[in-house]
Amino acid sequence: MHYYTFHPKDYMSKTGFLEPLEDLAYRRMLDYCYLNEKPLPADIDEIALLVSMRSHCDSIAVVLRYFFELTEDGYINDRVEKEIEAYQEKSEKARVSARARWDKRKPKTDPKANKDEASCERNANASETHDGRNANHKPITNNQEPVTNTNGDDEKALNIPFEVFWKTYAKSVAKDKCKAKWESFSNKVREQIMEHLPAYVASTPTKKFRKDPMTYLNGKGWLDDIIVDEPGINQQSKPSYSSMNVNAKYEDPNYDPLDGLASGTGAPHGNY
């Protein structure tokens, strides 16, 4: 057994008189019995060796006296024996049930249908339709292979991680929703977004004028044109007459109403 049920209240009520080393010895002796599904040896020195407490045989002797019984097979604990028996019975029923399901699903023309009993049991335990209720269920341990994601295009398959987009956009609003949306895109769309995004961010240095990232993604903002100020035009270099007398512009010695018209850059007379 790789695990067993432990009842702290029950355990403490029956072991409260034990010294710390005796308590440690008892826990290690229980672990040995459950893990190996067999009694402790009849020799105390051998038990001490198995639980790595060779210099504490006295503590082991106290535990054996109060919690174990010596039989022909060695020292047994009544509670442990019942737990192991129930576990083995459940495992056997699971094996039988799994084997029956597996045999039922085999094609009648399968040339391997007449395999011997041992082979059938291996097939049952290795059932390709294993649903968690099949033979001899045991919890995951460090020795088992890690579970991998089989959903296909998972996070590991993203050509551009979400964090790259998020750091580039630099406006933290609704991150979880944006992440889900980002992962729903194809690799091609993510590439198009990252080709467009740096220029868009540069065109909106003030974040309050930049779209929320979710709005950008939902609205396919990467397909929009980027609008920036035309280079070379300095709005402050031109005189402003909004707060001056209506005739002040005409009094300006440098004013020429036809200035710029020849080159197509001046304003028409209708604006004056």
Side-chain angles (χ1 to χ4, degrees):
M1 296 176 64
H2 287 187
Y3 71 93
Y4 60 89
T5 304
F6 182 75
H7 303 277
K9 186 175 181 180
D10 185 31
Y11 178 84
M12 294 177 66
S13 67
K14 295 180 179 179
T15 61
F17 66 93
L18 294 178
E19 294 291 334
L21 285 175
E22 294 169 351
D23 182 78
L24 175 62
Y26 188 22
R27 292 300 302 273
R28 291 188 178 185
M29 291 156 71
L30 288 175
D31 289 346
Y32 175 87
C33 292
Y34 279 118
L35 182 61
N36 296 281
E37 299 182 20
K38 65 180 182 180
L40 290 166
D43 183 67
I44 293 181
D45 290 334
E46 187 176 353
I47 296 174
L49 179 64
L50 292 174
V51 299
S52 300
M53 296 185 69
R54 285 175 289 179
S55 60
H56 302 286
C57 290
D58 292 342
S59 298
I60 294 174
V62 171
V63 174
L64 292 174
R65 176 183 177 185
Y66 287 100
F67 299 103
F68 286 84
E69 178 184 353
L70 181 60
T71 66
E72 294 181 356
D73 298 324
Y75 282 98
I76 64 171
N77 176 283
D78 185 60
R79 178 69 169 270
V80 173
E81 290 296 304
K82 291 180 180 178
E83 293 283 350
I84 292 176
E85 182 179 357
Y87 168 79
Q88 292 176 342
E89 181 179 357
K90 183 177 180 181
S91 296
E92 179 59 26
K93 288 181 179 179
R95 278 194 291 269
V96 172
S97 176
R99 184 166 58 248
R101 290 197 301 273
W102 178 246
D103 291 341
K104 184 178 180 180
R105 291 169 182 169
K106 282 184 178 180
K108 294 182 179 180
T109 57
D110 187 353
K112 299 180 180 180
N114 296 322
K115 285 185 177 181
D116 57 29
E117 185 70 15
S119 178
C120 288
E121 182 172 346
R122 285 196 301 272
N123 287 339
N125 288 334
S127 172
E128 58 189 15
T129 57
H130 181 73
D131 59 1
R133 296 172 297 173
N134 285 354
N136 202 10
H137 170 73
K138 294 184 180 180
I140 295 176
T141 66
N142 292 335
N143 293 328
Q144 291 177 284
E145 295 181 359
V147 177
T148 57
N149 192 332
T150 58
N151 292 332
D153 188 20
D154 57 10
E155 286 189 2
K156 294 181 181 178
L158 294 182
N159 59 332
I160 302 174
F162 170 73
E163 289 301 326
V164 173
F165 163 80
W166 193 247
K167 291 179 180 178
T168 304
Y169 207 97
K171 185 174 182 180
S172 299
V173 180
K175 182 175 182 179
D176 290 342
K177 292 182 179 180
C178 291
K179 186 174 186 293
K181 188 70 175 179
W182 179 262
E183 293 172 356
S184 70
F185 290 141
S186 65
N187 287 342
K188 182 177 180 181
V189 170
R190 283 190 285 267
E191 290 173 359
Q192 292 175 344
I193 292 173
M194 292 312 300
E195 288 176 1
H196 177 271
L197 189 57
Y200 172 66
V201 171
S203 71
T204 54
T206 304
K207 291 184 180 181
K208 68 178 181 179
F209 297 124
R210 190 179 307 161
K211 298 176 183 178
D212 286 350
M214 195 62 186
T215 302
Y216 176 89
L217 295 176
N218 283 334
K220 297 184 177 180
W222 61 91
L223 300 179
D224 297 340
D225 292 334
I226 297 175
I227 302 175
V228 296
D229 292 337
E230 296 182 9
I233 296 180
N234 186 350
Q235 300 296 333
Q236 299 301 323
S237 64
K238 295 183 179 180
S240 174
Y241 301 102
S242 59
S243 60
M244 299 172 61
N245 184 282
V246 67
N247 293 320
K249 55 187 174 182
Y250 297 107
E251 297 171 359
D252 186 345
N254 297 321
Y255 172 72
D256 183 357
L258 300 180
D259 183 33
L261 289 180
S263 60
T265 58
H269 288 287
N271 288 346
Y272 297 98

